[in-house]
Amino acid sequence: MTRKFTKNAVILLTAFTIIEVSPLPIVQLVQPAAAENNFLNALFGVNARKRRQAEKKRREEALRQQPKKPAPRIRGARYKTYIADKLVTAKLDQIVDPVTTSAVSHNENIATTAQANSTAKTDPFALGFETLSSLNLKTLPEVSEALVTHYSSSPSYRWVNENGPTKQALALHKALQEAYMVGLPNENYTVDLPNAAVLATGESAWSDYMRFEMELSAAILTYMVDASRGLISPKKISGYHDFKRKKLDLDKALFKAALSDNPTEFLHSFNPSGEHFLALKSELAELLGAEEKERITIAPDTFLKPGKSSPEMRNIVASIRLKGSEELKTNYAFEMNTYRGDDLYTPELVTLVKAFQKENNLSDDGIIGRKTIRAMVEDSNAVKIEKVKLAMERARWLPGKLADRRVFINQPAYNVTYYENNKSKLSMRVVVGKKSNQTNFFDDEIEKVEFNPYWGVPQSIITNEMLPKLRADPSYLDRLGYEVSYNGRRSSSSSIDWYSLNSTRAVGVRQPPGRKNALGELKILFPNAHAIYMHDTPAKKLFGRDTRAFSHGCVRLQDPRAMAAAVLGTDLNSIEGHIAPRKNKTVFVDKPIPVHVSYFTAWPNDAGAIEYFDDVYGRDKALQKAFATTIKSRTAS
C-alpha cells in the first residue's frame, strides 16, 4: 500500500533523519520552539531567499532586454491664451419695418401705399427707421438678437422723444459711465448723447435719435450680461475653471428697464446681491477715494530664523510698530523700545514676532517667511483695487446670492467655512492642491459622508507616480496592501506586466480603510467631474504651516469630524459612532448643501472686512490678461 505524506510530515521526517545521523547529542538539537524555528529556517530559508534573489535578477534582466520606452503620463489642466467673446455687427436691418407693421396691424387686406406714407409722416420711429441699415453697431451675438426681437415686436423709441433723451435714458447713461464702481470697465458701455445742435433741426434729428436709441439699448443689454455672468468666460482661461455661463431673457429685461420708475436701480440689480458682493463694492469705493497709506516694505524673498541676521530686521520691527494692535504694542513695549536697529534676530525680537504672528492667525514659530511678511506689509491701494475687481468678476460666476446654508472653500486663504442661516458656524484650515495638481474652481452640492473610506486612487496618480515604481517592483502595491484590478478583475500587482502598458485605464487601484488610509477617517462627497472632495488625512503636521498647498487636488480638513457633524446636522458623538466600528459606511445628508470650491485673493471675513491673500496658483495674472484682451477687443470694435 502506498503512503502519502503531507508537506509538514515530510519536513519533520527529514529533520528526524538528520537528528539520527548527527554526531551531536539529541539534547543539543531538540530545543525549545525558537530553536526549532531557527533550525527549519536555516534548512529551508536559504533556498527560499536564493529563489527570490534569482527571480529578482531574472526580472531585472528581462526589463533590460526590453526596448526602452517612456512611461505614459497624464497631464493636468492647462492655462490657455484667452480669446475674447466674438462681437458681431448687429443685424438692425432685420428689424421689421414699422410702416408695414402698422399698416398690417390695422387692416391686413388694405395696406395701401397711401396709408404707409401717412404712417411714415407721423410715426417718430418710422422717421428714423432708414438709419438702421447704415448703423455699424458691434455687439455680443445675444445682444444683437435681443435688439432685433425687441424692436420688431414693439417698433418704438424707449429712450427718446421729440425733445431728445428721456429722463430715464439720461439716468441710465450716467449709470453706465459709473460701471467702474462695480468692477466693470465703463469704457465698454460708452454712448454719445444726441448732438445738441441737431436737436433743433426738426425731423432730421430722428436719425441721430435712432443711433442713440440703438447704441444705448445695446450698452444697457451688454451691461446686464456682464454684470450678471461676468465679462470673462472662465472655461476659456484654463481647465481648472468650471462654470456654465448664465443666460438672460434680454428682450424682457429691456422692457422692464424702460418701464422701471428707477431704471438705475434696476440696472444695478443685475449685479450679485449677496453680502459678499456688497462688501467688495464698499471696499472698492473706499479704495478709489483713499490716498496711499504709509507702507514699509520688506524684501519679498526674506527668510529669517531665530539667531540669524538680516538687514531687513529694522523694517520688520518698523512694520510691527505700524501694524500691530495697541494691545500688542503695550505688552511688548520693552522688546520694541530696546531695539537699536541691529541686524541680529535676537530672542527678544523672536518673542515680539511670535506675538505678531499669533495676532494675525499665523503659525507662531518665530520664523519670518512669505506669509509673515504679507501680514507685515500691506498691499498698495492699487494692488488692492485690482484684487477687489478680480474678486467681483469671480463673484459673478457664482450664484448672485449665496445660499443661507452652504460650505465655502477659499483656496488662497487655505480655509473652509460652514454657514447656517447665512452666518459662519464653523471655520477651519485646509490643505489644497499643489501648483502641479491645482484644486479646481467650481460649484457643486454635498450629498454624503463616507466613513472609514476606501481611497480610489486617481488615474493621474496611478500613471504619474505609481507606474514608475511598479515597473521597478511589481509587488509594490501588494506589499502596501492596496487592492488592484485589471480589466475589471481582481489581481495582484505582481501579476501585471507594467512595462508593456501604454495606458493604465484598464487598471484600478484602491486603498482599503485603515489608519494608514490617505483619506483618514472620513470623506465628504460632492460628486464632480474633477474627483475632488473634502477628507481627513493622517498628515496632520501640514495644518501647522501657513502655506498649505500640498495635496493632489482634494481638500484636506483640519477637523473633519466637526465638518461631518455640521453637514449631517448631528453631533460629534454620532460621528464617533459611525467611525468606531472601523467599517466602511455611507450616510447621506438630508438635503444637498451647496459647496463653493472657490478662488478669491480678496474676500470678506465674518465681520465684513475684506482680507487679501497671495495668488497661490497665479490665477490673478491669468484673469488680468483675459480682462485686458476683452477690453481691447470691445474698445477696438
Side-chain angles (χ1 to χ4, degrees), residues 144-188:
S144 172
E145 183 180 342
L147 289 173
V148 173
T149 300
H150 181 83
Y151 285 101
S152 291
S153 63
S154 180
S156 59
Y157 289 106
R158 299 281 172 265
W159 314 119
V160 295
N161 54 33
E162 63 276 6
N163 298 316
T166 64
K167 183 179 178 181
Q168 289 91 336
L170 294 175
L172 288 167
H173 186 267
K174 182 181 179 184
L176 292 172
Q177 290 179 312
E178 295 174 348
Y180 67 92
M181 297 297 292
V182 289
L184 295 174
N186 52 294
E187 60 266 37
N188 282 355

Tab-separated table of all heavy atoms in Angstrom, residues 144-188:
chain	number	residue	atom	x	y	z
A	144	SER	N	-27.358	91.395	-30.103
A	144	SER	CA	-27.866	91.662	-31.458
A	144	SER	C	-29.229	91.002	-31.654
A	144	SER	O	-30.180	91.629	-32.143
A	144	SER	CB	-26.875	91.131	-32.493
A	144	SER	OG	-27.421	91.205	-33.794
A	145	GLU	N	-29.327	89.756	-31.224
A	145	GLU	CA	-30.591	89.029	-31.367
A	145	GLU	C	-31.702	89.681	-30.559
A	145	GLU	O	-32.843	89.802	-31.031
A	145	GLU	CB	-30.375	87.583	-30.906
A	145	GLU	CG	-31.598	86.699	-31.067
A	145	GLU	CD	-31.348	85.274	-30.607
A	145	GLU	OE1	-30.168	84.887	-30.488
A	145	GLU	OE2	-32.339	84.564	-30.353
A	146	ALA	N	-31.369	90.123	-29.346
A	146	ALA	CA	-32.375	90.755	-28.491
A	146	ALA	C	-32.864	92.073	-29.077
A	146	ALA	O	-34.062	92.403	-28.991
A	146	ALA	CB	-31.798	90.978	-27.097
A	147	LEU	N	-31.976	92.851	-29.673
A	147	LEU	CA	-32.370	94.125	-30.280
A	147	LEU	C	-33.382	93.897	-31.409
A	147	LEU	O	-34.396	94.597	-31.510
A	147	LEU	CB	-31.134	94.857	-30.822
A	147	LEU	CG	-30.168	95.441	-29.786
A	147	LEU	CD1	-28.916	95.978	-30.475
A	147	LEU	CD2	-30.833	96.555	-28.985
A	148	VAL	N	-33.086	92.920	-32.261
A	148	VAL	CA	-33.986	92.635	-33.386
A	148	VAL	C	-35.336	92.164	-32.883
A	148	VAL	O	-36.387	92.633	-33.331
A	148	VAL	CB	-33.355	91.583	-34.318
A	148	VAL	CG1	-34.361	91.164	-35.401
A	148	VAL	CG2	-32.087	92.133	-34.965
A	149	THR	N	-35.325	91.252	-31.923
A	149	THR	CA	-36.580	90.710	-31.374
A	149	THR	C	-37.404	91.808	-30.699
A	149	THR	O	-38.618	91.926	-30.918
A	149	THR	CB	-36.271	89.601	-30.351
A	149	THR	OG1	-35.554	88.557	-30.993
A	149	THR	CG2	-37.558	89.040	-29.753
A	150	HIS	N	-36.721	92.596	-29.890
A	150	HIS	CA	-37.423	93.617	-29.101
A	150	HIS	C	-38.067	94.676	-29.977
A	150	HIS	O	-39.263	94.973	-29.846
A	150	HIS	CB	-36.430	94.271	-28.139
A	150	HIS	CG	-37.052	95.317	-27.265
A	150	HIS	ND1	-37.726	95.019	-26.114
A	150	HIS	CD2	-37.112	96.678	-27.396
A	150	HIS	CE1	-38.159	96.129	-25.551
A	150	HIS	NE2	-37.809	97.160	-26.325
A	151	TYR	N	-37.283	95.257	-30.897
A	151	TYR	CA	-37.810	96.374	-31.683
A	151	TYR	C	-38.709	95.915	-32.830
A	151	TYR	O	-39.486	96.718	-33.366
A	151	TYR	CB	-36.662	97.238	-32.201
A	151	TYR	CG	-36.067	98.100	-31.104
A	151	TYR	CD1	-34.875	97.741	-30.485
A	151	TYR	CD2	-36.722	99.252	-30.676
A	151	TYR	CE1	-34.336	98.523	-29.473
A	151	TYR	CE2	-36.194	100.041	-29.657
A	151	TYR	CZ	-35.005	99.668	-29.058
A	151	TYR	OH	-34.485	100.445	-28.038
A	152	SER	N	-38.644	94.638	-33.189
A	152	SER	CA	-39.596	94.123	-34.181
A	152	SER	C	-40.970	93.928	-33.546
A	152	SER	O	-41.998	94.189	-34.182
A	152	SER	CB	-39.098	92.784	-34.747
A	152	SER	OG	-37.952	92.976	-35.539
A	153	SER	N	-40.983	93.481	-32.300
A	153	SER	CA	-42.265	93.254	-31.637
A	153	SER	C	-42.892	94.551	-31.153
A	153	SER	O	-44.105	94.653	-31.009
A	153	SER	CB	-42.082	92.308	-30.441
A	153	SER	OG	-41.235	92.896	-29.469
A	154	SER	N	-42.046	95.565	-30.917
A	154	SER	CA	-42.574	96.845	-30.451
A	154	SER	C	-41.737	97.971	-31.059
A	154	SER	O	-40.847	98.530	-30.417
A	154	SER	CB	-42.513	96.900	-28.918
A	154	SER	OG	-43.011	98.120	-28.438
A	155	PRO	N	-41.989	98.313	-32.320
A	155	PRO	CA	-41.170	99.303	-33.022
A	155	PRO	C	-41.463	100.736	-32.583
A	155	PRO	O	-42.236	101.472	-33.212
A	155	PRO	CB	-41.553	99.083	-34.494
A	155	PRO	CG	-42.945	98.550	-34.431
A	155	PRO	CD	-43.031	97.746	-33.191
A	156	SER	N	-40.842	101.092	-31.483
A	156	SER	CA	-40.991	102.457	-30.966
A	156	SER	C	-39.782	102.793	-30.106
A	156	SER	O	-39.049	101.895	-29.669
A	156	SER	CB	-42.282	102.582	-30.151
A	156	SER	OG	-42.259	101.664	-29.071
A	157	TYR	N	-39.592	104.063	-29.878
A	157	TYR	CA	-38.451	104.502	-29.072
A	157	TYR	C	-38.673	104.206	-27.593
A	157	TYR	O	-39.780	104.322	-27.072
A	157	TYR	CB	-38.224	106.001	-29.256
A	157	TYR	CG	-37.677	106.368	-30.618
A	157	TYR	CD1	-38.503	106.970	-31.575
A	157	TYR	CD2	-36.352	106.120	-30.937
A	157	TYR	CE1	-38.009	107.308	-32.825
A	157	TYR	CE2	-35.847	106.450	-32.194
A	157	TYR	CZ	-36.677	107.046	-33.130
A	157	TYR	OH	-36.184	107.375	-34.359
A	158	ARG	N	-37.580	103.843	-26.930
A	158	ARG	CA	-37.602	103.636	-25.492
A	158	ARG	C	-36.954	104.822	-24.764
A	158	ARG	O	-37.355	105.161	-23.651
A	158	ARG	CB	-36.823	102.359	-25.121
A	158	ARG	CG	-37.387	101.085	-25.733
A	158	ARG	CD	-38.613	100.604	-24.948
A	158	ARG	NE	-39.258	99.496	-25.653
A	158	ARG	CZ	-40.275	99.635	-26.483
A	158	ARG	NH1	-40.797	100.830	-26.719
A	158	ARG	NH2	-40.808	98.591	-27.088
A	159	TRP	N	-35.962	105.433	-25.417
A	159	TRP	CA	-35.101	106.372	-24.692
A	159	TRP	C	-35.134	107.801	-25.237
A	159	TRP	O	-34.433	108.655	-24.707
A	159	TRP	CB	-33.648	105.861	-24.730
A	159	TRP	CG	-33.550	104.395	-24.412
A	159	TRP	CD1	-33.077	103.418	-25.226
A	159	TRP	CD2	-33.954	103.745	-23.203
A	159	TRP	NE1	-33.172	102.193	-24.619
A	159	TRP	CE2	-33.707	102.367	-23.362
A	159	TRP	CE3	-34.528	104.193	-22.002
A	159	TRP	CZ2	-33.990	101.424	-22.370
A	159	TRP	CZ3	-34.808	103.261	-21.014
A	159	TRP	CH2	-34.542	101.902	-21.194
A	160	VAL	N	-35.929	108.061	-26.263
A	160	VAL	CA	-36.010	109.430	-26.791
A	160	VAL	C	-37.465	109.795	-27.096
A	160	VAL	O	-38.318	108.928	-27.317
A	160	VAL	CB	-35.165	109.600	-28.080
A	160	VAL	CG1	-33.687	109.427	-27.798
A	160	VAL	CG2	-35.625	108.638	-29.160
A	161	ASN	N	-37.715	111.091	-27.083
A	161	ASN	CA	-38.991	111.625	-27.573
A	161	ASN	C	-38.666	112.855	-28.407
A	161	ASN	O	-37.496	113.095	-28.735
A	161	ASN	CB	-39.942	111.945	-26.403
A	161	ASN	CG	-39.310	112.872	-25.377
A	161	ASN	OD1	-38.495	113.749	-25.740
A	161	ASN	ND2	-39.665	112.700	-24.114
A	162	GLU	N	-39.702	113.635	-28.752
A	162	GLU	CA	-39.451	114.790	-29.633
A	162	GLU	C	-38.504	115.811	-29.036
A	162	GLU	O	-37.924	116.648	-29.732
A	162	GLU	CB	-40.778	115.466	-30.006
A	162	GLU	CG	-41.553	116.062	-28.830
A	162	GLU	CD	-42.400	115.034	-28.108
A	162	GLU	OE1	-42.290	113.836	-28.447
A	162	GLU	OE2	-43.164	115.440	-27.215
A	163	ASN	N	-38.284	115.749	-27.711
A	163	ASN	CA	-37.399	116.710	-27.049
A	163	ASN	C	-35.979	116.181	-26.825
A	163	ASN	O	-35.136	116.854	-26.249
A	163	ASN	CB	-37.982	117.112	-25.697
A	163	ASN	CG	-39.326	117.796	-25.850
A	163	ASN	OD1	-39.493	118.652	-26.728
A	163	ASN	ND2	-40.302	117.428	-25.020
A	164	GLY	N	-35.739	114.923	-27.267
A	164	GLY	CA	-34.409	114.347	-27.079
A	164	GLY	C	-34.443	113.184	-26.092
A	164	GLY	O	-35.495	112.559	-25.882
A	165	PRO	N	-33.306	112.836	-25.432
A	165	PRO	CA	-33.245	111.714	-24.481
A	165	PRO	C	-34.214	111.916	-23.329
A	165	PRO	O	-34.364	113.022	-22.803
A	165	PRO	CB	-31.786	111.740	-23.995
A	165	PRO	CG	-31.035	112.445	-25.061
A	165	PRO	CD	-31.971	113.467	-25.618
A	166	THR	N	-34.867	110.844	-22.927
A	166	THR	CA	-35.788	110.903	-21.798
A	166	THR	C	-35.004	110.979	-20.481
A	166	THR	O	-33.797	110.760	-20.429
A	166	THR	CB	-36.681	109.652	-21.764
A	166	THR	OG1	-35.842	108.502	-21.534
A	166	THR	CG2	-37.441	109.491	-23.077
A	167	LYS	N	-35.738	111.252	-19.424
A	167	LYS	CA	-35.148	111.300	-18.095
A	167	LYS	C	-34.530	109.946	-17.721
A	167	LYS	O	-33.448	109.863	-17.157
A	167	LYS	CB	-36.208	111.708	-17.077
A	167	LYS	CG	-35.702	111.873	-15.663
A	167	LYS	CD	-36.841	112.311	-14.739
A	167	LYS	CE	-36.351	112.444	-13.294
A	167	LYS	NZ	-37.473	112.853	-12.387
A	168	GLN	N	-35.255	108.862	-18.043
A	168	GLN	CA	-34.738	107.524	-17.760
A	168	GLN	C	-33.457	107.251	-18.540
A	168	GLN	O	-32.514	106.647	-18.023
A	168	GLN	CB	-35.793	106.460	-18.125
A	168	GLN	CG	-36.980	106.415	-17.192
A	168	GLN	CD	-38.106	107.322	-17.677
A	168	GLN	OE1	-37.864	108.281	-18.424
A	168	GLN	NE2	-39.325	107.031	-17.241
A	169	ALA	N	-33.430	107.702	-19.796
A	169	ALA	CA	-32.245	107.490	-20.638
A	169	ALA	C	-31.024	108.173	-20.046
A	169	ALA	O	-29.930	107.607	-20.008
A	169	ALA	CB	-32.512	107.999	-22.048
A	170	LEU	N	-31.200	109.399	-19.582
A	170	LEU	CA	-30.072	110.145	-19.005
A	170	LEU	C	-29.583	109.483	-17.722
A	170	LEU	O	-28.381	109.438	-17.448
A	170	LEU	CB	-30.486	111.593	-18.750
A	170	LEU	CG	-30.799	112.425	-20.013
A	170	LEU	CD1	-31.325	113.806	-19.613
A	170	LEU	CD2	-29.547	112.556	-20.886
A	171	ALA	N	-30.511	108.944	-16.917
A	171	ALA	CA	-30.122	108.262	-15.681
A	171	ALA	C	-29.326	106.995	-16.000
A	171	ALA	O	-28.300	106.703	-15.363
A	171	ALA	CB	-31.365	107.916	-14.864
A	172	LEU	N	-29.778	106.251	-16.994
A	172	LEU	CA	-29.063	105.033	-17.385
A	172	LEU	C	-27.713	105.359	-18.012
A	172	LEU	O	-26.728	104.652	-17.789
A	172	LEU	CB	-29.922	104.221	-18.363
A	172	LEU	CG	-31.142	103.528	-17.751
A	172	LEU	CD1	-32.078	103.037	-18.838
A	172	LEU	CD2	-30.699	102.363	-16.873
A	173	HIS	N	-27.677	106.415	-18.786
A	173	HIS	CA	-26.424	106.853	-19.422
A	173	HIS	C	-25.379	107.159	-18.349
A	173	HIS	O	-24.207	106.772	-18.458
A	173	HIS	CB	-26.698	108.083	-20.287
A	173	HIS	CG	-25.519	108.527	-21.081
A	173	HIS	ND1	-24.624	109.484	-20.631
A	173	HIS	CD2	-25.072	108.144	-22.316
A	173	HIS	CE1	-23.690	109.678	-21.539
A	173	HIS	NE2	-23.940	108.883	-22.577
A	174	LYS	N	-25.786	107.812	-17.279
A	174	LYS	CA	-24.879	108.133	-16.183
A	174	LYS	C	-24.444	106.868	-15.446
A	174	LYS	O	-23.265	106.709	-15.089
A	174	LYS	CB	-25.560	109.094	-15.210
A	174	LYS	CG	-24.648	109.515	-14.056
A	174	LYS	CD	-25.382	110.455	-13.093
A	174	LYS	CE	-24.434	110.830	-11.937
A	174	LYS	NZ	-25.127	111.663	-10.926
A	175	ALA	N	-25.386	105.963	-15.222
A	175	ALA	CA	-25.067	104.719	-14.522
A	175	ALA	C	-24.039	103.903	-15.294
A	175	ALA	O	-23.137	103.290	-14.705
A	175	ALA	CB	-26.342	103.901	-14.307
A	176	LEU	N	-24.149	103.883	-16.610
A	176	LEU	CA	-23.181	103.152	-17.436
A	176	LEU	C	-21.795	103.774	-17.331
A	176	LEU	O	-20.782	103.060	-17.355
A	176	LEU	CB	-23.644	103.127	-18.889
A	176	LEU	CG	-24.906	102.300	-19.183
A	176	LEU	CD1	-25.358	102.514	-20.623
A	176	LEU	CD2	-24.659	100.825	-18.924
A	177	GLN	N	-21.737	105.080	-17.198
A	177	GLN	CA	-20.446	105.760	-17.047
A	177	GLN	C	-19.793	105.463	-15.704
A	177	GLN	O	-18.591	105.676	-15.533
A	177	GLN	CB	-20.628	107.275	-17.215
A	177	GLN	CG	-20.963	107.698	-18.641
A	177	GLN	CD	-21.147	109.215	-18.744
A	177	GLN	OE1	-21.849	109.833	-17.943
A	177	GLN	NE2	-20.499	109.804	-19.731
A	178	GLU	N	-20.580	104.967	-14.751
A	178	GLU	CA	-20.058	104.662	-13.420
A	178	GLU	C	-19.929	103.153	-13.194
A	178	GLU	O	-19.884	102.671	-12.062
A	178	GLU	CB	-20.988	105.267	-12.361
A	178	GLU	CG	-21.029	106.789	-12.401
A	178	GLU	CD	-22.071	107.373	-11.453
A	178	GLU	OE1	-22.905	106.595	-10.945
A	178	GLU	OE2	-22.054	108.605	-11.242
A	179	ALA	N	-19.840	102.398	-14.282
A	179	ALA	CA	-19.742	100.944	-14.180
A	179	ALA	C	-18.499	100.515	-13.415
A	179	ALA	O	-18.472	99.439	-12.808
A	179	ALA	CB	-19.736	100.319	-15.578
A	180	TYR	N	-17.458	101.345	-13.416
A	180	TYR	CA	-16.220	101.006	-12.701
A	180	TYR	C	-16.452	100.844	-11.200
A	180	TYR	O	-15.670	100.184	-10.513
A	180	TYR	CB	-15.150	102.072	-12.959
A	180	TYR	CG	-15.459	103.423	-12.372
A	180	TYR	CD1	-15.010	103.765	-11.098
A	180	TYR	CD2	-16.193	104.372	-13.089
A	180	TYR	CE1	-15.293	105.018	-10.552
A	180	TYR	CE2	-16.479	105.608	-12.553
A	180	TYR	CZ	-16.030	105.925	-11.289
A	180	TYR	OH	-16.314	107.161	-10.743
A	181	MET	N	-17.546	101.412	-10.694
A	181	MET	CA	-17.832	101.301	-9.263
A	181	MET	C	-18.247	99.876	-8.863
A	181	MET	O	-18.243	99.539	-7.686
A	181	MET	CB	-18.937	102.285	-8.861
A	181	MET	CG	-18.565	103.752	-9.065
A	181	MET	SD	-17.156	104.255	-8.041
A	181	MET	CE	-17.855	104.159	-6.396
A	182	VAL	N	-18.600	99.066	-9.847
A	182	VAL	CA	-18.902	97.661	-9.554
A	182	VAL	C	-17.902	96.749	-10.269
A	182	VAL	O	-18.182	95.572	-10.540
A	182	VAL	CB	-20.350	97.289	-9.960
A	182	VAL	CG1	-21.348	97.933	-9.018
A	182	VAL	CG2	-20.642	97.661	-11.404
A	183	GLY	N	-16.743	97.304	-10.573
A	183	GLY	CA	-15.663	96.496	-11.126
A	183	GLY	C	-15.742	96.236	-12.610
A	183	GLY	O	-14.992	95.410	-13.139
A	184	LEU	N	-16.629	96.920	-13.325
A	184	LEU	CA	-16.753	96.739	-14.765
A	184	LEU	C	-16.079	97.900	-15.502
A	184	LEU	O	-16.069	99.031	-15.004
A	184	LEU	CB	-18.227	96.653	-15.170
A	184	LEU	CG	-18.997	95.444	-14.646
A	184	LEU	CD1	-20.479	95.558	-15.010
A	184	LEU	CD2	-18.422	94.142	-15.189
A	185	PRO	N	-15.546	97.662	-16.697
A	185	PRO	CA	-14.855	98.725	-17.455
A	185	PRO	C	-15.861	99.645	-18.136
A	185	PRO	O	-16.448	99.285	-19.153
A	185	PRO	CB	-14.025	97.933	-18.474
A	185	PRO	CG	-14.779	96.661	-18.661
A	185	PRO	CD	-15.456	96.358	-17.354
A	186	ASN	N	-16.068	100.821	-17.591
A	186	ASN	CA	-17.124	101.690	-18.107
A	186	ASN	C	-16.889	102.102	-19.561
A	186	ASN	O	-17.833	102.475	-20.261
A	186	ASN	CB	-17.286	102.940	-17.234
A	186	ASN	CG	-15.991	103.675	-17.007
A	186	ASN	OD1	-15.097	103.134	-16.352
A	186	ASN	ND2	-15.870	104.883	-17.515
A	187	GLU	N	-15.637	102.008	-20.054
A	187	GLU	CA	-15.388	102.365	-21.454
A	187	GLU	C	-16.092	101.406	-22.417
A	187	GLU	O	-16.263	101.724	-23.596
A	187	GLU	CB	-13.880	102.387	-21.756
A	187	GLU	CG	-13.144	101.067	-21.541
A	187	GLU	CD	-12.512	100.959	-20.165
A	187	GLU	OE1	-13.131	101.437	-19.192
A	187	GLU	OE2	-11.407	100.392	-20.065
A	188	ASN	N	-16.508	100.245	-21.922
A	188	ASN	CA	-17.221	99.291	-22.775
A	188	ASN	C	-18.698	99.636	-22.947
A	188	ASN	O	-19.396	98.964	-23.708
A	188	ASN	CB	-17.115	97.879	-22.193
A	188	ASN	CG	-15.769	97.232	-22.478
A	188	ASN	OD1	-14.940	97.796	-23.181
A	188	ASN	ND2	-15.541	96.063	-21.922
